[in-house]
Amino acid sequence: MVSYIAKRILAIIPIVLFATLIMFLLIRMSPVDPAEAYLTAARIHPTEEILAEKRKEFGLDQPLIIQYAQTVIKISRLDFGKSYLTNEPVWDEVTARLPATIQLAVSSILVSILISIPLGFLSAVYKNSLIDTFSRLLSFFGASIPQFWLGYLLIFFFSVKLDLFPVEGRGSWQHLVLPTFTLSLALIAIYTRLLRASVLEEMQESYVLYARTRGIKERVIMVKHVLKIAISPVITGLGMNMGKLLTGTIIVEQVFSWPGFGRYFVDAIFNRDLPVIQCYVFLAACLFIVCNLIVDLVQLYMNPRISWKGRTDH
Amino acid sequence: MFKFKRKTILVSVMSVLMSAALLGCSEKETTTTAKEAAQQTEQTEKSVTLSWPRDIGTMNPHVYNPSQLIAQSMIFEPLISYKEGGELAPHLAESWSISEDGKEYTFKLRPNVKFSDGTPFNAAIVKKNFDAVMKNSKSHSWLGVINALDKTEAVDELTFKMTLKEPYYPALQDLSLVRPVRFLGEAGFPEDGDTSKGVKESVGTGPWMLTDYKKDEYAVFTRNPNYWGESPKIEKVTVKIIPDPETRVMAFEKGELDLIYGEGVISMDSFNQLKESGKYTTDLSQPVGTRSMLLNSSNEKLADQRVRLALHHGFNKQAMVEGITLGLEEKADNILSKNFPYTNIDVEPIEYNVEKATAYLEEAGWKLPAGKTVREKDGQPLELELIYDKTDPIQKAMAETAQAEWAAIGVKLNITGLELTVQIQKRRAGEFDVDFWTNYGAPYDPHSFINVVAEKGWGVSEAHTNLPMKQELDQQVSEALTSTDETKRQELYGSILKTLQEQSAIVPVSYIKKTVVYHDKVTNFIFPANRDEHPFYGIDTSN
């Protein structure tokens, strides 16, 4: 088990390196010269003289391979340079905004777990009942409505019309309600359907029949046996979505004026703030990798049918 | 044992998640109560809340992005202020005199002016500010007065003198800008005096002080108790940072905002909807700039004046303005609107006239072969490319309309949406056939405009490259900028603008205006004459 985890953790290094390489190349392939982007963001007229000076300062006059090596060394020290726009260290700016984003992502995950697990489970157990129809409708709605539109609708009804929540900003739990719901609805849609399908599948398994013949109570079978196994794909989904959520709050942060790092990133894209874009891509890559690892480990604990040994042997 | 472990891990993961979420809330709980208390006092004091799309940035009078002009102008003041119609009025300078050769500017500073921290405003601090700006002069090279500046001097306590290398008449206009020539108090300067790297405090002479600020969330300005002029009627201005235009409208409808002000801050649909609701006051400013199309004469096809005129005659500006900007912009006949200095001249408008357009093309030798829809000359089709900013819905819609309109006169227009930075890059390099362009507005124009007509590297001069009178035009521009004779200047401007209009390398489409929407409680709202200034000079509230 330990060697498996160690292997997985070691594997992170080449994956992250590969991600930084792709990111580095993509930025260099873009038609915009970073020196020129810097000057445009600073509203300085790019004369050849200043351009040359900036290129030298950013190390853009070096061969690509050296530039890449320098980027990697800097990133390993969490040095992403200074933002072209604010002239502040990118890492400081990102970490200052991260708590707001994490708060939103975590509360969305929690809400989606709290709603989708009972809902998905009940709609499988009481297949074709009222609750199942409701969960289907909710999933249909959640999966198809664009997030920004849902955000506007919620603001319109719950803030403007009913005056229950503030329209924008961050500060109290009231501020958190609408953005959390906007973010979690799509997740609820996915998890509910996932769990429902998974529970229905497990219910066909022979161990359920066996348990029934042993006279174990239906409730015990469902909760202790079926749900425990059926929840596995939901956990995978959760892990995948944790990374997606942290990077995908952009639209919601924009709509609700939530001061997180998604919004910071939108500004960076519009202004071609390359150091920020670089940091963001790097963080996103790390997040996805780490979340995947965590999911795999949790799965191993949760589902005894996946063995450590089997994993390590391959 | 194993089971226990599994559960423990799950429970701990869940509790970490839970506590993270709760921590986020509880940490904020205290600020909320503080905010609520502030909101309660708000009821009793005169205050205005508005939204701004971006964080106000650092309050440093000598830097650009991301500092927002509206906020900088609330704290820092100029020597001279720009008033309606381009009139230059005394501000921190009570009076000024210009030497006969147009090189020496002597300013008598207003006495008894104090910074918000109580320190005096005098010639020494003016010089210190100029020195800080000049230390970083490369960043300000776009600004004429900085390029022309030779030396500055504090003659006595209240006399400040600046000497230019060569005469440059718009020096006074340039001094009315919001940045970089406004004044920071002594306490704001860093040890080495280099403000480009940051300031210690935002101490200014302006009517407002920044008293509460949370990056990306809000900024609160209150009255400067040491203000030399008439104190503002309202006590507090709160700027909420709301990046999304639709959210801004909803926050306004809910009453979280008292006014929405700016250029393009809400969609034209929303503006009209708020206007038609009859519940709010809406208003449009004087033109702040002209939305134009640059027809690049360095392209062989567009080098022919008749082709440019055909394109100018060939589309219906009025319909474009009504259909696309919903009447929020006004049809533009002149390259510069008439509310700038020296621009109130009569030029012949180039009207929508399809017959004239086709006649020009025929005359230029672009014939329509039988069975074809695109005109040809010497076997070459009349095909052009228009580049536009793909994130700008107005440019996109205008590009599509032009494509349809010009197709009707036999011109094939390919339209290419680009990222803004790429569009600017292409424009500066002169790599375009047709491009959108907007002039700078007050107080930059008309001198900044004629400057880019002559100076390469901005795309406007490039568009005029192949004009037969290009050299003469550049000569006139240089004369206008250095002339010390008012009448001569007026004449030169008249001639330059007339030539540009006749040549149609710049096709004016519409005048851009600022919009404002406000609740009944807001009174005396007046648009500032300076495009970048804040609008809170006379504003009042009824409660």
Side-chain angles (χ1 to χ4, degrees), chain B residues 336-367:
Chain B
L336 295 180
S337 57
K338 291 186 173 186
N339 56 334
F340 295 110
Y342 312 112
T343 57
N344 194 3
I345 49 164
D346 288 317
V347 288
E348 189 145 345
I350 298 176
E351 299 288 0
Y352 176 50
N353 189 331
V354 178
E355 283 99 59
K356 256 193 187 172
T358 42
Y360 272 126
L361 290 175
E362 289 286 331
E363 198 189 314
W366 291 99
K367 309 277 182 201

Side-chain angles (χ1 to χ4, degrees), chain B residues 53 245 248 261-268 394 512-515:
Chain B
R248 218 170 286 150
Y261 157 84
E263 286 170 45
V265 286
I266 53 174
S267 72
M268 302 191 167
I394 296 183
I512 299 168
K513 295 178 167 195
K514 284 190 184 210
T515 54

Side-chain angles (χ1 to χ4, degrees), chain A residues 24-306:
Chain A
F24 177 83
L25 291 177
L26 280 177
I27 288 176
R28 293 304 180 284
M29 269 161 63
S30 123
V32 178
D33 171 7
E36 194 153 346
Y38 170 82
L39 295 171
T40 311
R43 303 272 158 93
I44 296 170
H45 182 49
T47 56
E48 273 313 312
E49 194 189 354
I50 315 179
L51 273 174
E53 197 183 296
K54 283 292 157 198
R55 282 196 193 109
K56 206 171 164 198
E57 189 185 320
F58 296 153
L60 295 169
D61 53 346
Q62 307 276 343
L64 267 190
I65 182 79
I66 295 182
Q67 285 187 42
Y68 176 64
Q70 282 170 342
T71 310
V72 170
I73 293 169
K74 276 188 173 172
I75 289 179
S76 65
R77 286 193 230 122
L78 290 181
D79 173 7
F80 292 89
K82 281 183 173 179
S83 155
Y84 291 170
L85 255 188
T86 60
N87 217 18
E88 300 280 334
V90 173
W91 184 246
D92 294 357
E93 298 237 298
V94 168
T95 43
R97 289 168 169 84
L98 210 53
T101 302
I102 291 179
Q103 186 192 5
L104 191 58
V106 168
S107 70
S108 306
I109 286 269
L110 284 182
V111 168
S112 50
I113 292 175
L114 289 177
I115 295 179
S116 61
I117 291 183
L119 196 60
F121 181 64
L122 290 176
S123 65
V125 176
Y126 303 105
K127 200 176 152 193
N128 295 330
S129 68
L130 202 63
I131 190 159
D132 192 24
T133 317
F134 169 74
S135 99
R136 261 189 237 180
L137 268 176
L138 188 76
S139 301
F140 177 71
F141 189 64
S144 51
I145 194 164
Q147 272 180 344
F148 73 94
W149 178 237
L150 176 65
Y152 291 149
L153 283 181
L154 292 177
I155 295 179
F156 184 72
F157 284 111
F158 293 100
S159 297
V160 180
K161 292 288 163 200
L162 300 174
D163 198 14
L164 292 173
F165 301 104
V167 173
E168 49 76 43
R170 175 180 181 232
S172 62
W173 67 267
Q174 287 99 325
H175 285 100
L176 194 60
V177 176
L178 297 184
T180 298
F181 189 68
T182 310
L183 260 181
S184 48
L185 190 66
L187 298 182
I188 293 171
I190 301 169
Y191 302 151
T192 310
R193 303 314 290 167
L194 215 58
L195 187 66
R196 181 182 180 273
S198 173
V199 168
L200 284 176
E201 200 181 305
E202 286 302 318
M203 279 161 74
Q204 306 302 319
E205 293 287 328
S206 46
Y207 74 85
V208 177
L209 188 68
Y210 177 59
R212 279 187 186 137
T213 53
R214 280 188 352 202
I216 299 175
K217 277 190 196 154
E218 192 66 17
R219 182 184 293 178
V220 177
I221 299 174
M222 294 314 278
V223 178
K224 283 221 157 176
H225 299 140
V226 173
L227 182 61
K228 219 163 84 182
I229 294 170
I231 213 158
S232 166
V234 178
I235 291 170
T236 312
L238 262 175
M240 303 294 247
N241 278 316
M242 197 62 199
K244 205 169 131 192
L245 255 183
L246 279 172
T247 53
T249 52
I250 295 174
I251 293 166
V252 174
E253 285 183 5
Q254 190 79 2
V255 168
F256 290 94
S257 309
W258 191 262
F261 88 147
R263 228 175 88 189
Y264 177 61
F265 182 56
V266 172
D267 253 6
I269 291 179
F270 278 119
N271 291 288
R272 281 294 178 146
D273 199 341
L274 297 180
V276 179
I277 298 177
Q278 197 157 298
C279 178
Y280 191 85
V281 175
F282 172 78
L283 273 183
C286 290
L287 267 170
F288 275 99
I289 295 166
V290 171
C291 288
N292 262 340
L293 177 64
I294 293 175
V295 167
D296 283 358
L297 296 181
V298 172
Q299 289 282 29
L300 288 169
Y301 273 115
M302 292 286 295
N303 196 339
R305 287 185 292 192
I306 310 168

Side-chain angles (χ1 to χ4, degrees), chain B residues 270-417:
Chain B
S270 305
F271 181 83
N272 281 336
Q273 187 201 325
L274 292 173
K275 185 178 168 186
E276 279 155 21
S277 77
K279 289 191 255 179
Y280 319 105
T281 313
T282 56
D283 203 2
L284 295 173
S285 72
Q286 293 274 317
V288 293
T290 312
R291 192 189 293 280
S292 315
M293 281 194 242
L294 295 175
L295 307 181
N296 193 349
S297 68
S298 64
N299 172 315
E300 219 176 288
K301 295 165 195 163
L302 290 170
D304 190 333
Q305 186 194 2
R306 292 166 296 190
V307 175
R308 296 195 304 267
L309 280 171
L311 294 177
H312 199 161
H313 279 297
F315 74 103
N316 189 344
K317 287 180 199 175
Q318 187 63 38
M320 220 184 224
V321 168
E322 279 167 16
I324 296 169
T325 76
L326 307 176
L328 260 62
E329 289 181 12
E330 190 187 319
K331 174 190 167 212
D333 285 330
N334 296 12
I335 294 172
L336 295 180
S337 57
K338 291 186 173 186
N339 56 334
F340 295 110
Y342 312 112
T343 57
N344 194 3
I345 49 164
D346 288 317
V347 288
E348 189 145 345
I350 298 176
E351 299 288 0
Y352 176 50
N353 189 331
V354 178
E355 283 99 59
K356 256 193 187 172
T358 42
Y360 272 126
L361 290 175
E362 289 286 331
E363 198 189 314
W366 291 99
K367 309 277 182 201
L368 198 60
K372 288 195 175 173
T373 52
V374 180
R375 286 175 188 274
E376 283 177 9
K377 184 177 165 182
D378 307 329
Q380 264 214 346
L382 185 45
E383 190 174 342
L384 298 165
E385 188 197 28
L386 181 152
I387 56 171
Y388 66 93
D389 170 8
K390 64 180 172 191
T391 60
D392 184 332
I394 296 183
Q395 279 190 21
K396 183 169 187 279
M398 284 188 172
E400 285 161 355
T401 313
Q403 187 180 43
E405 295 257 48
W406 289 345
I409 55 169
V411 180
K412 183 164 191 244
L413 184 71
N414 302 315
I415 56 175
T416 313

Side-chain angles (χ1 to χ4, degrees), chain B residues 447-460:
Chain B
H447 62 275
S448 299
F449 168 72
I450 59 165
N451 185 43
V452 296
V453 166
E455 198 197 323
K456 281 209 177 294
W458 298 90
V460 185

